Amino acid sequence: MPNLFDPLTINKLVIKNRFVRSATMDTLADQGKVTDDLLALYRELVEGEIGLIITGGIYVRKDGQIVPGELAADTDETIPSLKKLTDAVHQAGGKIAAQLLHAGWGGHPDITGSQPLAPSPIVHPHWKVESRELSGGEIYELIESYVQAAQRAVEAG
């Protein structure tokens, strides 16, 4: 039976141990960009022997942001910021994975500046805001946003 401190290999990714920090929304970004506080948190996690960090949600489009302080991968301009974060984690000896997301019906106009989106119109039970139904073409556009965000995450390391 493996020990928690034994390395773990997932495909070609070797993680120094089996401690994983699950995706947790830390809300330490500024306008979607990495901050010194976020860098310090992730360095501290790796120094505390976390082998793999799964980021808090990273929005793939501005209309998919859930909370202020969330990281972004919605444009190519976010790549240097994300790279700064991955470099800090790698330099400390850890690995990092990006949790890409879109708020969908859970979005709020005060945060995104637009009406929430969903496969069909539905009123959010907490926000009391009705989502706008996506057309078939818009669903494919949203899928493409995930593809682009994933490519940015890969480019950022």
Side-chain angles (χ1 to χ4, degrees):
M1 175 181 264
N3 182 301
L4 288 173
F5 293 96
D6 289 343
L8 173 67
T9 302
I10 303 171
N11 289 332
K12 295 178 184 177
L13 178 68
V14 179
I15 303 167
K16 68 181 180 181
N17 59 40
R18 295 162 188 257
F19 291 100
V20 177
R21 190 262 201 160
S22 180
T24 304
M25 193 64 75
D26 45 53
T27 65
L28 294 173
D30 182 20
Q31 302 296 309
K33 302 287 191 320
V34 171
T35 62
D36 289 340
D37 288 341
L38 188 61
L39 289 171
L41 171 64
Y42 279 42
R43 280 190 198 107
E44 183 178 338
L45 289 168
V46 175
E47 289 166 3
E49 294 304 319
I50 300 298
L52 173 64
I53 298 171
I54 303 172
T55 67
I58 299 176
Y59 60 87
V60 301
R61 290 186 352 187
K62 177 62 179 161
D63 64 3
Q65 184 177 0
I66 295 176
V67 293
E70 185 178 350
L71 281 171
D74 60 332
T75 67
D76 287 348
E77 288 73 36
T78 63
I79 295 169
S81 174
L82 294 171
K83 183 158 180 39
K84 184 190 293 186
L85 184 61
T86 58
D87 286 349
V89 169
H90 294 159
Q91 287 167 5
K95 304 293 182 180
I96 186 167
Q99 179 195 34
L100 303 176
L101 59 79
H102 187 283
W105 77 301
H108 195 283
D110 290 349
I111 295 168
T112 65
S114 60
Q115 186 177 12
L117 306 173
S120 58
I122 186 169
V123 175
H124 191 282
H126 181 71
W127 304 135
K128 307 296 185 215
V129 174
E130 184 174 24
S131 58
R132 181 178 66 74
E133 181 175 5
L134 290 163
S135 69
E138 288 175 314
I139 291 172
Y140 285 107
E141 289 171 9
L142 185 53
I143 291 168
E144 182 60 23
S145 295
Y146 275 92
V147 170
Q148 296 296 319
Q151 289 173 335
R152 292 179 188 111
V154 168
E155 189 172 334

